[in-house]
Amino acid sequence: MTKTIPAYQRIKNAILDNIHSGKWQAGNSISTEMALAKEFGVSRMTVNRALKELSEERVLERRQGSGTFVAQQQFNHTFVEVRNIAQDLKSANRDYQAQVVSKRILTAAMLDDELRRKFDINKVAVSSNTNADTTVMDDSTGADSSSDVAVLYEVKIIHFADGQPIQFEERWVDAQKVPEFIEQDFSVVNTSDYLIAKSPLERGSYTIRALAAPDEIAALLQIAPQSPTLVLRRQTYSAGRVLTFVKMWHAGDRYQFSGEL
């Protein structure tokens, strides 16, 4: 038997759908409690629970006497600073360029164990509320498999400073939450900036490790195999789930991380 979704959760899902689709942008006011109660045929108490939970999850901001608004995300200053390498290099008066190595649409069956765990995705099943019209296209082959559902987008990008590769970015994004992500020209649009603008980010976690560069990474960064690299691995969350997971490889002798306490 199909489990009935509680009314407050249906309201939360509808609000999140409006935000993720771009109907309600950061800073926009949303429908009033009275309007939502009428739309969903529930009490204002039920609506209040949905709005309260979304406010606690930092998706909405409730202002006394003014209403409820899509939260202006303070992600850059609250949990972990999401650096925009393009802005960093330009502010240092260095010439910046980005080269897209590949873009792919991934189905559940194409994911390795790490990605399935990160995004909590089953290998065989995709929820029934997924858009059945989604067509899967692999840029590398041109193969079309409309019978499968896109669950993640994958992009790989080299970032250059003064013509020298300084960072290699491998990123995976929830295809259902940001359906137009894969259509962007990431030689022009910064991936982190695009995601922050399109989907509210609640929190994130990251690690930085020193690793010897595998042959493929070394070739992309134009360094010798097994040269030292700094690898930043970061995952960020929206609506309680991982929105994006990224690995950023940096040539060890060309990059450093710094900050202030």
Side-chain angles (χ1 to χ4, degrees):
M1 294 179 64
T2 303
K3 189 175 180 180
T4 303
I5 300 175
Y8 79 91
Q9 187 61 52
R10 288 192 289 111
I11 297 168
K12 287 180 66 175
N13 292 345
I15 291 171
L16 290 169
D17 285 345
N18 283 337
I19 294 172
H20 295 152
S21 68
K23 180 179 178 181
W24 292 340
Q25 302 280 342
N28 289 168
S29 61
I30 72 166
S31 302
T32 64
E33 284 190 14
M34 187 175 298
L36 288 169
K38 183 176 180 181
E39 179 182 349
F40 288 92
V42 298
S43 68
R44 289 186 65 177
M45 184 179 297
T46 300
V47 173
N48 186 271
R49 176 177 176 178
L51 299 185
K52 182 175 182 293
E53 289 192 5
L54 287 173
S55 297
E56 290 172 348
E57 293 166 7
R58 302 176 184 267
V59 174
L60 298 178
E61 178 184 356
R62 308 181 79 180
R63 302 175 192 168
Q64 188 78 26
S66 299
T68 304
F69 299 80
V70 180
Q72 295 279 3
Q73 299 305 311
Q74 300 300 315
F75 189 83
N76 281 11
H77 309 288
T78 305
F79 294 101
V80 56
E81 189 173 6
V82 179
R83 303 294 298 181
N84 180 334
I85 190 170
Q87 291 180 359
D88 284 349
L89 293 175
K90 289 175 183 177
S91 65
N93 295 317
R94 302 188 68 179
D95 181 56
Y96 169 78
Q97 287 183 311
Q99 176 188 330
V100 178
V101 176
S102 65
K103 295 197 298 184
R104 286 202 303 164
I105 298 175
L106 305 180
T107 65
M110 297 167 67
L111 306 185
D112 61 23
D113 290 341
E114 179 182 33
L115 290 176
R116 278 199 293 274
R117 285 195 305 270
K118 290 283 186 188
F119 290 89
D120 192 22
I121 293 172
N122 259 336
K123 185 173 183 179
V124 283
V126 177
S127 66
S128 59
N129 63 0
T130 302
N131 181 358
D133 293 332
T134 302
T135 299
V136 175
M137 183 73 74
D138 186 330
D139 280 0
S140 64
T141 65
D144 180 350
S145 178
S146 56
S147 62
D148 290 330
V149 175
V151 293
L152 296 183
Y153 295 140
E154 176 192 85
V155 296
K156 297 185 179 183
I157 304 166
I158 306 174
H159 301 273
F160 293 83
D162 299 329
Q164 187 177 53
I166 195 169
Q167 181 193 92
F168 174 56
E169 172 182 354
E170 300 178 281
R171 183 181 294 272
W172 296 269
V173 175
D174 188 320
Q176 302 306 311
K177 288 183 177 178
V178 197
E180 297 178 356
F181 177 84
I182 202 68
E183 300 171 11
Q184 308 310 305
D185 180 358
F186 291 115
S187 64
V188 178
V189 178
N190 180 267
T191 50
S192 292
D193 284 353
Y194 182 81
L195 291 170
I196 290 171
K198 288 296 180 180
S199 192
L201 301 183
E202 297 166 359
R203 60 190 177 91
S205 59
Y206 71 96
T207 61
I208 300 173
R209 295 182 62 192
L211 295 176
D215 291 355
E216 177 188 1
I217 303 299
L220 292 166
L221 289 174
Q222 298 177 17
I223 57 179
Q226 302 303 305
S227 293
T229 64
L230 292 172
V231 184
L232 170 66
R233 294 163 56 97
R234 183 176 68 222
Q235 56 196 41
T236 53
Y237 295 77
S238 179
R241 294 175 61 87
V242 173
L243 173 72
T244 181
F245 170 56
V246 62
K247 298 179 185 177
M248 296 178 178
W249 297 76
H250 307 81
D253 61 347
R254 302 174 194 161
Y255 205 92
Q256 66 180 17
F257 291 93
S258 62
E260 296 182 2
L261 297 176

